[in-house]
């Protein structure tokens, strides 16, 4: 399978705990995006990377959120001190420089109790 | 600011009927891209089409067709002879002309095809 992969697919955590999600993009794609999708809504942009550089962050990305892409390949999204409002589907997408199509992974569904 | 409006929250049609999903967008950019994605019950967003703002030709791909009208800022999606497998949530999205930046999505239209 050469698509975008995300791990874990589901995560249930208690409020106040830290969680980390991983995204592996399509191998030749140098751009990587994180989105968040809540029930009944479209995905909302969180942040994106070109190679290892984080080029844009949404206002949705509070100080409790941090994303990294240390070697320009996979990326991690960490949420510290989770809150119930963080419950959502976290989607990762990747694209190439010369193309604009973003290909999405299956998402990580986070439930904060 | 960019905005995408999908006024139809839910649509139900009987199998084999045609159905059109509406998308209206707002942007100040002179060059931009428009997209449609399908999200089946499994949850993974599936890319359907990308359209450059300079290309207003309608496009047809099998049972799918797209009508882009810059004058009304609309990018509508029609499924002909609908099938049960078309049941999904469909999202329209907008991207600025600076390339590979964020997608701004609409709230989606849930399409249910009744057998």
């Amino acid at each position: 399978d050469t698509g975008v992969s995300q791990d874990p697919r589901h995560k249930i955590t208690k409020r106040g705990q830290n969680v980390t999600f991983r995204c592996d993009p399509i191998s030749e794609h140098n751009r990587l995006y994180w989105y968040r999708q809540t029930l009944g809504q479209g995905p909302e942009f969180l942040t994106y990377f070109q190679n290892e550089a984080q080029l844009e962050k949404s206002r949705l990305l509070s100080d409790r959120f941090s994303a990294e892409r240390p070697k320009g390949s996979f990326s991690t999204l960490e949420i510290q001190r989770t809150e119930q409002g963080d419950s959502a589907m976290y989607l990762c997408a990747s694209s190439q420089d010369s193309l604009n199509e973003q290909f999405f992974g299956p998402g990580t569904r986070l439930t904060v109790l | 600011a960019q905005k995408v409006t999908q006024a139809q929250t839910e649509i139900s049609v009987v199998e084999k009927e045609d159905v059109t999903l509406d998308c209206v967008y707002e942007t100040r950019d002179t060059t931009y891209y428009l997209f449609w994605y399908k999200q089946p019950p499994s949850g993974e967003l599936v890319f359907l089409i990308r359209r450059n703002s300079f290309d207003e030709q309608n496009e047809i791909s099998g049972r799918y067709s797209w009508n882009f009208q810059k004058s009304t800022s609309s990018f509508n999606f029609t499924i002909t002879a609908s099938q049960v497998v078309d049941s999904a949530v469909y999202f329209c999205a907008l991207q600025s002309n600076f390339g590979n930046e964020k997608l701004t999505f609409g709230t989606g239209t849930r399409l249910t095809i009744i057998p």
Side-chain angles (χ1 to χ4, degrees), chain A residues 33 35 97 99-100 102, chain B residues 37 39 47 50 100-101 103:
Chain A
Y33 306 77
Y35 291 82
D97 260 344
L99 300 173
N100 296 87
Q102 292 181 21
Chain B
Y37 282 85
Q39 190 172 43
F47 167 79
R50 177 191 64 166
N100 291 327
E101 292 186 352
L103 294 172

Side-chain angles (χ1 to χ4, degrees), chain A residues 11-15 19 21 36-39 44 64-65 79 81-90 108-113:
Chain A
K11 178 71 177 178
I12 299 174
T13 190
K14 292 183 179 179
R15 189 176 54 185
V19 294
F21 310 140
R36 182 174 71 185
Q37 185 179 20
T38 53
L39 201 61
E44 295 175 292
R64 296 185 297 106
F65 288 70
I79 308 174
R81 304 181 303 281
T82 53
E83 302 173 356
Q84 288 185 325
D86 297 332
S87 295
M89 176 76 86
Y90 290 84
T108 295
R109 183 171 294 284
L110 172 66
T111 302
V112 182
L113 302 176

Side-chain angles (χ1 to χ4, degrees), chain A residues 18-59:
Chain A
N18 299 344
V19 294
T20 300
F21 310 140
R22 176 179 170 127
C23 170
D24 286 88
I26 295 171
S27 60
E28 64 269 24
H29 287 185
N30 63 344
R31 301 221 180 205
L32 186 148
Y33 306 77
W34 285 99
Y35 291 82
R36 182 174 71 185
Q37 185 179 20
T38 53
L39 201 61
Q41 298 297 316
E44 295 175 292
F45 171 79
L46 293 178
T47 188
Y48 91 97
F49 294 83
Q50 180 175 348
N51 299 313
E52 65 276 7
Q54 188 173 17
L55 297 184
E56 187 175 350
K57 293 168 62 174
S58 161
R59 293 177 205 174

Side-chain angles (χ1 to χ4, degrees), chain B residues 10-48:
Chain B
E10 295 189 28
I11 300 176
S12 295
V13 299
V14 176
E15 194 173 19
K16 297 184 184 177
E17 288 185 352
D18 299 347
V19 58
T20 295
L21 310 182
D22 298 333
C23 173
V24 174
Y25 63 91
E26 296 174 29
T27 180
R28 294 178 182 172
D29 294 331
T30 55
T31 306
Y32 48 88
Y33 296 90
L34 295 162
F35 299 77
W36 276 94
Y37 282 85
K38 174 182 179 179
Q39 190 172 43
S42 60
E44 188 162 344
L45 282 161
V46 177
F47 167 79
L48 295 178

